[in-house]
């Protein structure tokens, strides 16, 4: 066992605070990673504040992890000491599953999430990337393309794959009109990736305050959803709308922006149920679906795609001591566009 230092939540209402815990020594199939940077996802906040009613404390959040390999087990073949690697939202899957589907691994019942989950042994709590190191099975470690800077790559491990996967699944590309609803951590990655895939990209944001950024990041059009005219002007326009907003919206109004056979895909995760009228779907044979992160195979594809197209996140780097203030700023949408924790600050 090695002692790890990090920051944890011990209760839904308390701020995150320094926390020491044990990580296992690497097994034969494990990779030990010194964490350099970790992105701050809105899901970290939902989880530690128990908004999804599944928190088991203490929780060390963080699932946008990048770092450098410090040791490998005897059976590891893909990684060596010194490699630049990433870890995303899960660290094991298909534990006890009858069948294993590597293309849809994130949907398997045996999924072990990077934090607030229990390892394959059935008892050890997983703890995430707001910490100095992590030990992960080789099959759940990703290679980071050499041309990408580590800090701005961290958010690709969740925000990047969460948008890449539905964009690919619903065939975003040339000739397709794609709307990204909400331009935050997930949304701004969606703009960059959909643009690189060749789609015609529209941002639907609650105001025009980030319009200049949106157009720079690759959007072709930018509309404010606070303006009622947006909904009349864009009625029946989109093949695909990806909703990254994590609060209640007027779902029926957005469904009206889809073409015949268009799909609206939910990735933002509000607390409350979603009220939808049958007649928001029936007349245009429209679909409302959800999507969750991506498989390890697809996450590696996404990283390679981002390497090829020089895509990283727009980030603001913070020390771990600033994490509680950063959470408040995320809640106010006061970040352009993802906080990334420099883990060297743990030593300060
Ligand atoms: P974020 O950085 O806070 O972005 C959310 C965006 O939603 C904001 O930038 C804002 O964009 C928009 N928004 C509209 N009304 C809002 C309001 N009242 N309060 C806050 N934001 C509002 O969050 P994120 O990290 O991108 O995550 C977004 C959601 O996706 C969260 O619910 C998160 O848990 C979920 N998530 C899901 C998956 C998955 O696999 N499905 C993975 C990761 C995260 P505008 O200013 O442009 O309107
Ligand atoms: Zn996330």
């Amino acid at each position: 066992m090695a002692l790890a230092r990090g920051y944890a939540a011990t209760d839904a209402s308390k701020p995150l605070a320094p926390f020491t815990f044990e990580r296992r020594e690497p097994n034969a199939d494990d990779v030990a990673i010194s964490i350099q940077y970790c992105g701050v996802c809105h899901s970290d906040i939902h989880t530690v504040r128990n908004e999804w009613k599944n928190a088991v404390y203490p929780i060390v959040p963080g699932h946008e992890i990048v770092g450098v390999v410090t040791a490998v087990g005897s059976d590891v073949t893909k990684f060596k000491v010194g490699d630049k690697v990433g870890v995303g939202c899960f660290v094991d899957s298909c534990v006890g599953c009858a069948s294993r589907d590597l293309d849809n691994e994130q949907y398997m019942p045996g999924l072990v999430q990077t934090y607030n989950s229990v390892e394959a042994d059935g008892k050890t709590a997983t703890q995430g990337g707001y910490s100095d190191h992590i030990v992960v099975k080789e099959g759940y470690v990703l290679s980071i393309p050499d041309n990408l800077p580590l800090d701005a790559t961290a958010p690709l491990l969740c925000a990047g794959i969460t948008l890449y996967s539905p964009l690919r699944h619903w065939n975003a590309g040339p000739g397709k009109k794609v709307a990204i609803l909400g331009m935050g951590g997930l949304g701004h990655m969606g703009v960059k990736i959909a643009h690189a895939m060749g789609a015609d990209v529209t941002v639907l944001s609650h105001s025009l305050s980030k319009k200049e950024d949106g157009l720079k990041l690759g959007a072709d059009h930018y509309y404010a959803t606070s303006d009622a005219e947006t909904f009349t002007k864009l009625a029946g326009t989109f093949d695909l709308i990806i909703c990254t907003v994590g609060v209640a919206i007027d779902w029926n109004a957005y469904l009206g922006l889809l073409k015949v056979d268009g799909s609206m895909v939910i990735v933002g995760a509000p607390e409350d149920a979603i009220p939808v009228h049958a007649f928001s779907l029936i007349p245009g044979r429209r679909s409302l679906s959800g999507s969750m992160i991506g498989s390890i195979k697809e996450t590696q594809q996404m990283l390679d795609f981002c390497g090829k197209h020089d895509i990283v996140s727009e980030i603001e780097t913070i020390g771990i001591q600033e994490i509680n203030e950063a959470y408040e700023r995320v809640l106010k949408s006061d970040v352009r566009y993802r906080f990334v924790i420099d883990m060297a600050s743990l030593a300060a």
Side-chain angles (χ1 to χ4, degrees), residues 39-44 52 62-64 89 115 155 157-159 162 186 293 338:
V40 176
C41 179
H42 207 125
S43 300
D44 300 346
W52 292 334
H63 56 206
E64 294 184 336
C89 299
Y115 64 84
L157 276 306
C158 174
T162 299
L186 265 57
I293 46 175
R338 198 61 145 184

Side-chain angles (χ1 to χ4, degrees), residues 266-316:
I266 299 170
V267 296
E271 263 183 283
D272 297 323
I274 294 174
V276 171
H277 297 304
F279 284 101
S280 297
L281 298 170
I282 290 171
R285 199 165 50 194
R286 296 169 175 136
S287 311
L288 179 62
S289 319
S291 180
M292 190 174 84
I293 46 175
S295 65
I296 293 296
K297 196 169 142 189
E298 197 174 32
T299 305
Q300 190 62 59
Q301 264 174 31
M302 175 276 306
L303 286 167
D304 296 343
F305 176 90
C306 289
K308 190 170 155 208
H309 293 272
D310 267 319
I311 294 176
V312 287
S313 176
E314 303 297 306
I315 60 166
E316 181 178 334

Side-chain angles (χ1 to χ4, degrees), residues 25 39-40 49 63 89 114 122 131 150 154 161 174 186 197 204 218 221 224 232 250-251 266 281 289 302 307:
E25 292 300 330
V40 176
R49 299 197 172 174
H63 56 206
C89 299
T114 304
S131 58
L150 270 189
I161 185 60
L186 265 57
M197 288 175 172
L204 301 173
H221 322 274
T232 42
D250 183 351
W251 300 94
I266 299 170
L281 298 170
S289 319
M302 175 276 306

